[in-house]
Amino acid sequence: MNPIEIIIRKRDGYRLSGDQIKFMVEQYTAGNIPDYQMSAFLMAVFCRSMDAEETADLTRAMLDSGEKISFPASDFRYADKHSSGGIGDKVSIVLAPLMAACGLKVPMLSGRGLGHTGGTLDKLESIPGFRTDLSIVEFKNGVEKVGCIISGQTPEIAPADRKIYALRDVTGTVESIPLICGSILSKKLAAGPNLIVFDIKCGNGAFMQSLSRAAELGESLCRICEAMGKKSAFLISDMNQPLGRAAGNALEIDECLQCLRGDGPSDLMQLTLALGAKMLALSGIVSDGEAMGLMKSALDSGAAYQKFMEMVEFQGGLTEILRKAEPLKPAERVLNVRAVADGFIASIDTRQVGILIIEMGGGRSKLGDRIDHSAGIVFHKKIGDYVARGEIIAEIHSSAKIPEDYLTTRFLSLIKYSSGPSKTPPLILRDF
């Protein structure tokens, strides 16, 4: 096969065979196709897209580029969840042990912060000793022993994705839905789940800012799962404001522990339970009507909290620190941000909230940056809430040498008020 002919064929709008797609992925991963030809191929896909069969072939080729973890085929108790990313989105950290406490096995390969969004691995690494670099053998043993593991992609898993994603990031092809699907599913399916539920974020803090684009991504992901013999479902959730109250790594772990103790923010728990109900019903463990009762029992009994502690211990984390019910990593200073006028909170620039946290050291502005896990923001008020002048609307937790006036002014610029009541946006926009 000739890579030039394959590039031209896709550039001209023709569909590619599975063999042609496999050739491009295999040869690029092996170093036999140069970056400039793969860049041209990615741009052709970006401009001409791929149909469902092509996207499934791309996913399969990327998946087959490395090692795969396997669990019993068609055992739908092996289940996972994926989010398209947002601010304050800590659902995976609550959901995985909750599902394990309900009888599922959750093999979860997660990622780090991407752009303005936080990363599950960065959050878990707030816990002293917690390892996110488990080997494939350790990962599989943990899933069977504990019931849930959250770890990172090893060098052996989907190496094609690492190379291709790095190229997409610098060639303006990140937003292509076929390429997004291939990237997500080559990693997720490598962990061995037979069932995946997707949380597609939509709003000013999400990568997908329109409902139609979010639906297109969710439908594409589920079509590929079906083509590969996996069960799946998705919902679209609002990301026009942070999820929960806390945004920032250690602060979000503190909030996860509150959830697992039965005292989490209502929006975070609503979304966690909605995704969990889908996972449980699709797995066949319980019916739709029984799922909520099973999850609430696991929370009320402390079983979900205990399962989280088992996972932390298996992955090397110090559980005694978490059991103290004290802030995990207090920042050097906590600034109370007060409302400058009476009114209702009408909007929050969620993307800029994430960027502000990065400025404080809570995320990476370039590869290799060290993270200050203590940095973050706790919201006392959210969209639809009334605030009086001088009332605390948020806490900024920071150890960075950034002037307090700058942090306060910068945060206040991200909040818009209205004189009349503001409608609280629905959390779940669509449920498929």
Side-chain angles (χ1 to χ4, degrees):
M1 293 188 193
N2 187 323
I4 299 172
E5 292 179 0
I6 294 171
I7 293 166
I8 291 171
R9 182 171 179 80
K10 177 47 67 177
R11 180 201 69 187
D12 291 345
Y14 295 101
R15 71 177 313 279
L16 301 177
S17 69
D19 287 341
Q20 289 171 320
I21 293 169
K22 182 179 180 181
F23 172 82
M24 291 297 293
V25 172
E26 281 186 347
Q27 293 302 307
Y28 178 64
T29 306
N32 298 326
I33 290 177
D35 283 352
Y36 62 81
Q37 284 187 321
M38 181 53 80
S39 297
F41 175 76
L42 295 174
M43 187 56 73
V45 172
F46 182 88
C47 293
R48 294 295 193 171
S49 196
M50 284 179 158
D51 64 24
E53 187 175 347
E54 287 177 293
T55 307
D57 286 334
L58 175 67
T59 302
R60 194 173 288 110
M62 293 171 68
L63 174 63
D64 290 343
S65 71
E67 294 186 26
K68 299 184 285 289
I69 300 167
S70 61
F71 294 106
S74 301
D75 185 342
F76 296 108
R77 291 174 301 166
Y78 291 87
D80 194 5
K81 164 261 176 190
H82 175 78
S83 165
S84 61
I87 306 301
D89 181 8
K90 56 200 77 73
V91 169
S92 292
I93 299 169
V94 180
L95 184 62
L98 175 57
M99 291 297 95
C102 291
L104 294 185
K105 301 282 189 180
V106 186
M108 188 176 286
L109 287 180
S110 291
R112 301 195 179 278
L114 179 63
H116 64 281
T117 68
T120 298
L121 299 184
D122 298 324
K123 295 167 190 178
L124 287 167
E125 286 176 349
S126 302
I127 303 169
F130 192 97
R131 289 182 55 209
T132 60
D133 61 348
L134 300 186
S135 69
I136 289 176
V137 171
E138 289 173 316
F139 182 89
K140 188 168 183 178
N141 289 343
V143 172
E144 298 292 12
K145 180 180 178 180
V146 178
C148 60
I149 289 293
I150 306 176
S151 191
Q153 182 181 2
T154 70
E156 300 85 8
I157 288 176
D161 175 62
R162 278 194 304 279
K163 284 195 73 175
I164 291 171
Y165 187 84
L167 207 54
R168 287 170 56 211
D169 198 32
V170 295
T171 57
T173 55
V174 169
E175 293 86 354
S176 165
I177 283 182
L179 298 178
I180 290 171
C181 290
S183 179
I184 290 171
L185 289 175
S186 62
K187 294 190 291 284
K188 281 292 177 183
L189 296 177
N194 294 312
L195 182 163
I196 306 178
V197 170
F198 299 98
D199 174 18
I200 310 298
K201 302 293 187 187
C202 178
N204 65 39
F207 290 110
M208 298 294 164
Q209 298 198 11
S210 73
L211 201 56
S212 61
R213 188 81 169 149
E216 184 182 354
L217 175 58
E219 289 163 0
S220 296
L221 288 165
C222 288
R223 278 197 301 268
I224 298 166
C225 285
E226 182 180 7
M228 301 184 78
K230 310 293 183 181
K231 284 188 178 182
S232 64
F234 77 98
L235 55 75
I236 301 174
S237 64
D238 178 70
M239 189 37 68
N240 284 302
Q241 62 179 338
L243 183 63
R245 296 288 174 183
N249 297 293
L251 293 171
E252 292 189 47
I253 294 295
D254 291 338
E255 191 164 81
C256 289
L257 290 168
Q258 292 172 16
C259 292
L260 290 165
R261 294 186 186 111
D263 191 30
S266 59
D267 60 341
L268 177 55
M269 290 310 302
Q270 179 190 348
L271 184 56
T272 301
L273 295 173
L275 290 162
K278 281 183 175 293
M279 292 173 74
L280 290 169
L282 282 171
S283 74
I285 285 184
V286 292
S287 67
D288 281 326
E290 298 169 323
M292 284 295 175
L294 181 61
M295 289 187 290
K296 288 179 179 176
S297 175
L299 289 167
D300 292 344
S301 68
Y305 174 82
Q306 183 56 37
K307 191 60 69 176
F308 177 74
M309 292 300 176
E310 290 175 30
M311 181 184 77
V312 171
E313 186 173 8
F314 184 88
Q315 296 189 232
L318 301 180
T319 57
E320 59 267 29
I321 292 175
L322 301 178
R323 294 184 190 279
K324 291 180 180 178
E326 297 174 354
L328 180 58
K329 288 196 173 177
E332 291 180 9
R333 55 183 173 168
V334 177
L335 309 178
N336 289 326
V337 182
R338 299 179 183 275
V340 295
D342 298 342
F344 294 84
I345 294 182
S347 69
I348 299 172
D349 189 334
T350 313
R351 183 177 186 276
Q352 289 298 320
V353 168
I355 291 173
L356 177 56
I357 292 171
I358 292 172
E359 286 182 46
M360 294 190 293
R364 298 175 185 84
S365 56
K366 63 181 184 299
L367 194 65
D369 282 352
R370 294 190 63 177
I371 284 183
D372 176 2
H373 291 99
S374 71
I377 298 170
V378 177
F379 288 79
H380 289 221
K381 300 288 185 178
K382 295 177 72 175
I383 295 175
D385 290 341
Y386 176 78
V387 293
R389 182 184 177 89
E391 189 175 3
I392 295 172
I393 56 175
E395 300 169 7
I396 297 178
H397 294 240
S398 175
S399 301
K401 292 181 171 62
I402 301 175
E404 294 185 8
D405 286 350
Y406 171 81
L407 291 174
T408 301
T409 303
R410 176 96 162 82
F411 179 81
L412 287 170
S413 73
L414 309 181
I415 307 295
K416 298 290 186 249
Y417 297 91
S418 64
S419 56
S422 300
K423 187 176 181 181
T424 302
L427 178 61
I428 297 175
L429 304 175
R430 286 193 187 172
D431 193 342
F432 294 83

